[in-house]
Amino acid sequence: MRFEILVVTSFQQNCTLFICEETAAAVVIDPGGEAPRIAAALEHHGVAATAILLTHGHLDHVGGAPELAKQLNIPIFGPHQADEFLFDALPAKAKHYNLPAPPQFTPDAWLKAGESIQFGNQTLEVLHCPGHTPGHVVYFHRASALAQVGDVLFKGSVGRTDLPGGNTEQLINSICGQLFALGDHIRFIPGHGAMSTFGAERQYNPFLIHECPPAASA
């Protein structure tokens, strides 16, 4: 599997294309906006998207999803239903930022921990990682040792918990108990900014070095 990160909108949000090279199938994760540009990138790669996957319900991650889904005639999956209140609030949130409101929509399916997403010959594992939002999910491609973590974790930082539904204790538990448990070698794509590894964040992230236990020695 290969991937491409498209930084979209004024929020500088990472929209990610996961591409199955064997079948030319793809998924689009968190199309926060600029739907025509995302569609053009898929066409450039000569791949067909089978679904849009959302990590959580914030405007900067979902704003382009209904337009792109309509254009490509594909479903929208995720996040966990605990984020439903954020989808209900999208028009008000867009107005707050003086942005055009996306069409009111609900994902075609909510996701739960332990479920998986298939595209082409690839499998993405779904982890429910609340804290930044109650329904935040992470998509993990075990074969590539790669995760798309949305706004749970960043290089050198962690997701905000001061927004509606945020919970610091849940966020730390999601990072330490779920993400870091996957292994220090796992690379991750955050919702904003540069990629990193779980090992680097365990060791150097100032928000986590006193919160998460060190990796078990071999």
Side-chain angles (χ1 to χ4, degrees):
M1 186 193 78
R2 61 188 170 101
F3 67 90
E4 180 179 356
I5 299 171
L6 301 172
V7 181
V8 298
T9 79
S10 59
F11 294 106
Q12 295 291 284
Q13 184 263 325
N14 290 335
C15 169
T16 310
L17 310 181
F18 278 180
I19 299 170
C20 175
E21 296 180 281
E22 300 167 0
T23 66
V27 290
V28 181
I29 304 178
D30 284 1
E34 301 184 41
R37 180 178 161 218
I38 298 169
L42 293 165
E43 184 176 359
H44 171 75
H45 287 293
V47 299
T50 61
I52 291 169
L53 308 180
L54 303 178
T55 61
H56 62 292
H58 284 159
L59 175 65
D60 56 329
H61 290 255
V62 310
E67 179 183 354
L68 188 65
K70 182 178 181 180
Q71 180 177 348
L72 301 180
N73 193 28
I74 56 176
I76 301 171
F77 298 146
H80 187 282
Q81 193 170 2
D83 269 9
E84 186 171 10
F85 75 103
L86 293 173
F87 287 82
D88 295 338
L90 285 174
K93 185 60 67 175
K95 184 178 180 180
H96 173 78
Y97 287 109
N98 197 30
L99 295 171
Q104 192 74 46
F105 77 102
T106 301
D108 294 282
W110 303 105
L111 297 176
K112 298 178 181 179
E115 291 187 306
S116 62
I117 301 293
Q118 306 286 332
F119 67 102
N121 296 333
Q122 310 303 319
T123 301
L124 298 179
E125 300 174 36
V126 177
L127 288 73
H128 180 206
C129 294
H132 178 62
T133 69
H136 201 300
V137 298
V138 164
Y139 300 101
F140 178 45
H141 189 251
R142 190 174 294 272
S144 300
L146 177 69
Q148 220 299 356
V149 304
D151 285 358
V152 174
L153 177 66
F154 304 103
K155 183 177 182 179
S157 188
V158 297
R160 293 176 61 176
T161 57
D162 59 330
L163 300 172
N167 184 296
T168 301
E169 182 179 357
Q170 285 185 338
L171 183 74
I172 296 302
N173 287 340
S174 291
I175 295 170
C176 300
Q178 294 200 69
L179 299 187
F180 286 179
L182 297 173
D184 283 354
H185 66 293
I186 303 298
R187 298 176 299 157
F188 70 89
I189 302 167
H192 307 265
M195 293 179 63
S196 184
T197 67
F198 291 157
E201 299 314 304
R202 184 199 297 272
Q203 186 171 3
Y204 300 114
N205 191 312
F207 295 91
L208 300 172
I209 53 178
H210 298 300
E211 299 288 347
C212 298
S217 57

